[in-house]
Amino acid sequence: MEEQTSDFSDYIGALKRRRVSVFAIAIMVFLLGALVALLWPATYKSSATILIKEQDIPSELVQSTVTSFASQRIQAISQRVMARPNLMEIIAQYKLYEEERKRLTTEEIIEEMRENIGLDMIEASVVDPRSGRPTAATIAFQLSFSGENPTQVQKVANELMSLFLKENLKERSEKASETYVFLRDESERLSKKISLLEEKMAAFKKQHVNTLPELAQLNQQLMNRTENEISDIGRQIRSQQQTRIYLQGQLAQLKPYGVDASLDPATRLQALRTSYFGMLARYSAEHPDVIRMKREIEGLEQETGAVDSSAEQLKQIEALRGELAALRKKYADQHPDMVKLERQIKALENSVSTPKTSSLASAAADNPDNPAYIQLAAQIEAADTEIRSLQAKRQQLEEKLADYEQRMVEAPQVEREYRTLGRDLQNAINEYQNVHTKQVSAQIAQQLEQESKGERFVIVEPPILPEEPVSPNRPAILFLSFVLAVGCGLGYAAVAESLDDAVHGGKSLAFTLGAAPLAVIPYLETDSEASRRKRRLATKATAA
């Protein structure tokens, strides 16, 4: 059996059969939409447009301490403005949501007010000065509030706008102040650190005053100069020693006493005694010359009062011994001059009451009278004094040289510690200078914010009293209600027709029986049926 197909007449027939239900449902849906459009309370909206104005002074001259993007700051300000205490204060001040407060919790009311607050960014295409690329930047924003009372809406929008402006100024001032205080504290900390490092550096220099790196070259020069001075003093000592040996050789060849007869009686007495001892070495005591000289000596002794000649004899013995030592370098022991001097010395020793060698030497060196002998002896003594002075000076220079060498040994370790201290001090100074420069910039930026010359919010359009509600759109609701009503009625008819198994019309009968009917007689309604139908219709209308 072929499937029955429906044409337009079938749809018209189905609509006629169910026209009452379709119209009832459509009317009910439309009436509900109309009630919504009429009873939905009007919502008014008041908005303020705020421009983000750049700072008056070029950023190349004064850098602001607030570096975040405007959209970020606006969102952050929005979170602080729409905090619970602020919203509760606004609700209490302007008596908002009086009916809702009777049946809703505080959190629900706060959430509803946050939904009624609108924040829309206004962006524009600009060129980023850092990258040179076009980008979208927030140049303004729109702040709005929605409510049922136009006057309340305007006042609340004004209050929110004031809070945004106040929070922006507060945030920028606090950030500028916090930046300045932080940099100031950091600058003070670094200043104290520099002072401690300078004190440590001064103590280190005081402790290692002679081994500092800048004195390394000077210490090397001093050490070289000291070595040269030690070498020079060594040469001087050797020269003085050679001179002393030479003078001692000359002194050995001289007699400590002179023989000039034109001298004074004491001197002549001494000279005669010397000659007398010489004669005794050559002649016997009974020789006429010896006797004559002895008488002359006795006369001079009486004249000068110098009767005891032991000391003079000792000096004479010492002088003769010196002369004997000089002759030994030239002659042999059997030489006549050597023999003569030995006899003379022996005679003098025999005539002295204390013939001890040590006493003879001591007495003979007491009072020499030979000028040449005295001069040489003085030169030898001067040479000895100079040698002792040079040796003492060399000892001092050797001690200084050892000190310089110790400085050179300690120099590498001292230099390492000195460089470390200097590097720490220089790093601290550089860091302080950097922080101090930033502190000055932060202070200028703080003054910039205090004088409101930095980036700020400028009111372009303040909130105005709304004259027309922004919602609901009643004509649109009515139109949508009509469309929905028609759709619901036709939908009901289509669903009901698809679920109905009854046979309607000749075509449906022919499809069911498989044969076309001979004639189609319409249903004839009786009076009682018509009455029942009217009563049902009235009941439905009353229920609707």
Side-chain angles (χ1 to χ4, degrees):
M1 182 180 295
E2 295 181 356
E3 184 179 356
Q4 182 182 2
T5 58
S6 301
D7 54 13
F8 185 73
S9 59
D10 295 331
Y11 294 125
I12 296 298
L15 185 60
K16 287 180 179 180
R17 287 191 300 272
R18 303 183 184 278
R19 59 183 178 275
V20 176
S21 299
V22 169
F23 285 126
I25 292 173
I27 291 172
M28 290 175 62
V29 171
F30 181 75
L31 289 176
L32 287 175
L35 288 175
V36 169
L38 293 175
L39 299 179
W40 193 341
T43 301
Y44 295 89
K45 181 178 180 181
S46 181
S47 302
T49 303
I50 301 174
L51 177 67
I52 304 173
K53 187 177 180 181
E54 296 182 353
Q55 66 182 41
D56 297 337
I57 301 175
S59 58
E60 291 80 6
L61 300 177
V62 178
Q63 289 286 342
S64 174
T65 54
V66 183
T67 57
S68 58
F69 292 105
S71 57
Q72 295 177 345
R73 292 202 309 277
I74 293 171
Q75 293 295 338
I77 293 172
S78 173
Q79 295 299 319
R80 289 197 293 272
V81 168
M82 290 191 286
R84 178 190 178 98
N86 291 336
L87 296 185
M88 289 301 298
E89 183 179 352
I90 294 174
I91 290 172
Q93 181 179 357
Y94 296 102
K95 299 179 181 180
L96 303 176
Y97 310 109
E98 291 185 345
E99 295 296 329
E100 289 82 349
R101 279 189 283 175
K102 297 177 182 178
R103 54 186 176 83
L104 298 178
T105 63
T106 303
E107 291 297 330
E108 291 174 337
I109 294 174
I110 293 296
E111 190 62 30
E112 182 176 354
M113 184 172 183
R114 286 173 179 168
E115 293 177 356
N116 292 334
I117 297 174
L119 182 63
D120 300 319
M121 303 294 175
I122 301 175
E123 296 183 347
S125 296
V126 297
V127 177
D128 190 349
R130 291 173 294 184
S131 61
R133 297 178 179 178
T135 182
T138 302
I139 60 172
F141 64 96
Q142 192 175 57
L143 180 65
S144 62
F145 181 73
S146 301
E148 299 177 1
N149 190 323
T151 305
Q152 285 183 338
V153 166
Q154 182 190 18
K155 292 180 180 179
V156 173
N158 268 313
E159 184 68 22
L160 291 173
M161 180 187 67
S162 300
L163 287 176
F164 263 80
L165 297 177
K166 186 186 300 182
E167 281 295 329
N168 179 61
L169 292 175
K170 181 181 177 181
E171 179 193 18
R172 296 185 67 90
S173 298
E174 287 180 353
K175 186 165 289 188
S177 178
E178 289 173 358
T179 304
Y180 171 73
V181 170
F182 170 77
L183 292 173
R184 184 194 61 192
D185 295 341
E186 188 68 12
S187 178
E188 292 177 356
R189 183 187 69 82
L190 290 173
S191 179
K192 293 179 181 178
K193 181 179 179 181
I194 290 173
S195 299
L196 292 176
L197 288 174
E198 287 177 344
E199 292 176 0
K200 191 173 182 181
M201 177 67 79
F204 184 85
K205 286 183 176 181
K206 185 177 180 181
Q207 182 180 0
H208 305 280
V209 64
N210 294 322
T211 55
L212 295 176
E214 54 263 27
L215 300 178
Q217 185 176 1
L218 178 61
N219 287 332
Q220 184 66 43
Q221 293 174 356
L222 291 175
M223 187 174 69
N224 295 335
R225 188 172 68 183
T226 304
E227 290 177 346
N228 294 333
E229 289 179 357
I230 291 175
S231 299
D232 184 58
I233 288 177
R235 288 192 296 270
Q236 293 181 28
I237 291 175
R238 288 192 296 272
S239 177
Q240 291 294 334
Q241 288 175 344
Q242 292 173 0
T243 302
R244 185 178 183 279
I245 293 172
Y246 173 76
L247 292 175
Q248 285 179 340
Q250 294 292 324
L251 183 65
Q253 297 177 7
L254 296 176
K255 296 179 181 181
Y257 306 102
V259 291
D260 190 359
S262 63
L263 299 175
D264 60 278
T267 304
R268 178 168 175 75
L269 175 61
Q270 186 176 356
L272 288 175
R273 284 173 178 172
T274 302
S275 300
Y276 175 73
F277 291 133
M279 284 186 177
L280 285 177
R282 295 193 300 270
Y283 310 111
S284 64
E286 289 80 13
H287 192 279
D289 293 335
V290 173
I291 295 171
R292 180 179 54 79
M293 188 172 291
K294 184 177 180 181
R295 290 175 181 171
E296 188 175 359
I297 290 172
E298 289 175 354
L300 289 173
E301 285 178 350
Q302 292 178 0
E303 182 180 355
T304 59
V307 178
D308 188 8
S309 61
S310 298
E312 298 298 333
Q313 291 176 357
L314 291 175
K315 293 178 183 180
Q316 184 65 28
I317 291 170
E318 186 68 24
L320 292 175
R321 283 179 176 174
E323 187 177 352
L324 179 63
L327 290 176
R328 278 200 180 105
K329 297 179 182 179
K330 300 179 181 180
Y331 310 112
D333 293 339
Q334 291 79 21
H335 193 274
D337 294 339
M338 295 286 292
V339 174
K340 182 180 67 173
L341 283 175
E342 286 177 355
R343 284 203 307 266
Q344 187 176 1
I345 291 171
K346 190 176 293 185
L348 287 171
E349 288 176 351
N350 293 330
S351 64
V352 178
S353 60
T354 307
K356 292 183 180 179
T357 306
S358 59
S359 298
L360 293 174
S362 175
D366 286 342
N367 297 307
D369 59 0
N370 189 349
Y373 183 90
I374 295 172
Q375 184 177 5
L376 289 174
Q379 291 179 358
I380 292 173
E381 182 64 25
D384 291 337
T385 303
E386 182 67 18
I387 289 173
R388 288 193 298 270
S389 175
L390 290 173
Q391 288 176 345
K393 187 174 181 181
R394 182 171 63 180
Q395 181 65 26
Q396 294 177 356
L397 290 175
E398 287 176 350
E399 293 176 358
K400 290 174 64 177
L401 180 62
D403 182 49
Y404 293 146
E405 290 175 348
Q406 184 64 28
R407 293 181 189 178
M408 299 301 293
V409 171
E410 296 176 359
Q413 178 65 25
V414 172
E415 182 178 6
R416 182 164 57 252
E417 296 178 5
Y418 183 77
R419 299 296 182 195
T420 302
L421 282 175
R423 184 168 56 252
D424 293 342
L425 179 60
Q426 188 59 42
N427 290 339
I429 291 174
N430 293 338
E431 189 176 358
Y432 172 79
Q433 291 175 347
N434 187 22
V435 171
H436 185 68
T437 302
K438 293 180 180 179
Q439 178 188 353
V440 174
S441 300
Q443 187 175 9
I444 296 174
Q446 185 182 22
Q447 188 69 23
L448 188 74
E449 298 298 335
Q450 291 176 353
E451 296 179 1
S452 298
K453 294 182 181 295
E455 184 180 276
R456 58 192 182 276
F457 292 164
V458 178
I459 302 173
V460 177
E461 184 179 350
I464 60 175
L465 182 66
E467 298 178 354
E468 297 291 336
V470 294
S471 66
N473 190 345
R474 304 185 194 280
I477 294 175
L478 290 175
F479 177 74
L480 291 176
S481 299
F482 175 76
V483 173
L484 184 61
V486 173
C488 289
L490 295 177
Y492 169 76
V495 172
E497 191 65 24
S498 64
L499 298 176
D500 190 4
D501 295 333
V503 177
H504 300 284
K507 186 184 292 185
S508 177
L509 181 62
F511 177 75
T512 304
L513 298 178
L518 297 176
V520 178
I521 300 173
Y523 180 79
L524 299 177
E525 186 181 22
T526 62
D527 294 337
S528 59
E529 291 176 341
S531 299
R532 286 198 299 273
R533 180 175 58 80
K534 292 178 180 179
R535 285 197 299 273
R536 287 198 298 271
L537 182 61
T539 302
K540 292 179 179 179
T542 302

